[in-house]
Amino acid sequence: MKPGGTIRIRLDIGGGSGTFAARMRERNVTIGTTSMNLDGPFNSFIASRGLISMHVSVSQRLPFFENTLDIVHSMHVLSNWIPDAMLEFTLYDIYRVLRPRGLFWLDHFFCLGSQLNETYVPMMDRIGFKKLRWNAGMKLDHGIQKNECYFSVLLEKPMT
Ligand SMILES: C[S@@+](CC[C@H](N)C(=O)[O-])C[C@H]1O[C@@H](n2cnc3c(N)ncnc32)[C@H](O)[C@@H]1O
């Protein structure tokens, strides 16, 4: 989606043991990873891989200046377990730290099918991102009767 060499600094929110950052380091992209030590020493593990480990919760303001990151990625973390007001705050904070034309790759957000159009599409629209890609599908691990879905989006912060 972007010319080679223009994605250099990035952040992975809720990056588990840091594997995404490890894979991207092979492509000369520096990634900070936020994680929590829930049920295990994830932050120490990330650091032991020579990666930047940040013990930062999704409820905290991100420790970056405005308009500085090329891309923020988050997979299987930001989802409907987060209260709406807090999630919206988090999304605005991601918007704040991204540089103009920076990308927000929100991967595998899960929610009820009914919440997608009622809550999350309007919330994404309010933040001000431009939608580059949007994909939704059924989440089936709790059975089809739960009517759960995943969506993944690639969003861009506009120039103005
Ligand atoms: C299901 S794992 C996903 C890991 C990785 N992104 C992946 O897809 O393999 C959830 C991650 O979110 C982090 N996490 C859980 N609760 C959190 C919170 N309140 N604030 C920030 N991160 C949290 C966990 O530490 C873990 O890194």
Side-chain angles (χ1 to χ4, degrees):
M1 298 295 294
K2 294 285 179 185
T6 61
I7 299 290
R8 295 159 306 163
I9 306 173
R10 80 198 258 178
L11 174 68
D12 191 23
I13 296 177
S17 55
T19 297
F20 186 73
R23 297 291 301 276
M24 294 307 292
R25 187 172 54 180
E26 294 164 7
R27 299 169 188 224
N28 291 326
V29 179
T30 304
I31 304 192
T33 303
T34 72
S35 202
M36 304 291 286
N37 283 346
L38 304 173
D39 297 327
F42 287 95
N43 288 85
S44 308
F45 187 83
I46 294 166
S48 74
R49 301 176 89 177
L51 302 167
I52 301 164
S53 165
M54 289 180 282
H55 193 254
V56 175
S57 156
V58 292
S59 64
Q60 286 171 264
R61 197 168 187 263
L62 293 168
F64 296 99
F65 193 61
E66 277 84 77
N67 304 312
T68 50
L69 302 187
D70 296 316
I71 184 165
V72 174
H73 169 263
S74 187
M75 180 165 93
H76 250 150
V77 183
L78 303 179
S79 286
N80 70 352
W81 63 273
I82 301 176
D84 292 349
M86 186 188 293
L87 178 67
E88 193 157 349
F89 174 87
T90 303
L91 296 176
Y92 272 115
D93 206 36
I94 291 168
Y95 187 93
R96 177 185 69 79
V97 298
L98 278 173
R99 67 166 168 79
R101 306 292 297 273
L103 297 174
F104 175 36
W105 178 6
L106 178 58
D107 203 351
H108 279 74
F109 185 110
F110 54 86
C111 62
L112 297 175
S114 58
Q115 292 177 308
L116 181 57
N117 288 324
E118 283 171 17
T119 305
Y120 298 116
V121 172
M123 188 186 290
M124 299 289 164
D125 288 343
R126 280 196 294 276
I127 310 294
F129 284 111
K130 180 179 165 192
K131 291 190 193 91
L132 301 183
R133 293 203 180 160
W134 185 284
N135 218 333
M138 295 293 289
K139 181 174 181 290
L140 297 170
D141 56 329
H142 294 146
I144 196 162
Q145 67 280 3
K146 289 274 187 186
N147 188 27
E148 291 179 313
C149 72
Y150 277 122
F151 67 92
S152 296
V153 291
L154 187 65
L155 305 168
E156 185 183 65
K157 179 170 174 173
M159 282 300 285
T160 54

